[in-house]
Amino acid sequence: DNFYDMLKKNRGNAPKGRRHHASKLSPRKVRAIRKSKKSQVDLAKKYGVESSTIRAVLTGKTWSHVS
């Protein structure tokens, strides 16, 4: 019941990437992160995010819609 109510009220579509209100990255930055040879810690400092965020970008857990 709750699942169908969520779909009916269009509540299951969380914004992705730059459209999310708390996003600190952009598609351009994500591409640069993926091409970089720097460490995750260095990239995190450069972009003002946690190293876990960089890891999620690199593994495709987040920003998978950006190629």
Side-chain angles (χ1 to χ4, degrees):
D1 285 340
N2 285 338
F3 176 75
Y4 293 111
D5 184 59
M6 175 189 70
L7 292 178
K8 181 180 168 185
K9 295 178 181 175
N10 199 25
R11 293 184 180 159
N13 301 325
K16 290 184 178 182
R18 195 71 181 143
R19 292 185 175 151
H20 192 280
H21 72 280
S23 174
K24 292 185 178 182
L25 298 175
S26 66
R28 183 188 306 172
K29 290 178 182 178
V30 168
R31 288 184 197 99
I33 288 167
R34 289 181 178 155
K35 289 180 183 178
S36 179
K37 300 295 182 191
K38 292 183 179 182
S39 72
Q40 292 179 16
V41 172
D42 289 341
L43 289 169
K45 288 178 184 175
K46 179 178 179 177
Y47 292 105
V49 297
E50 297 293 325
S51 60
S52 60
T53 301
I54 300 298
R55 184 171 45 257
V57 168
L58 293 173
T59 61
K61 184 174 182 180
T62 59
W63 290 90
S64 59
H65 60 285
V66 174
S67 56

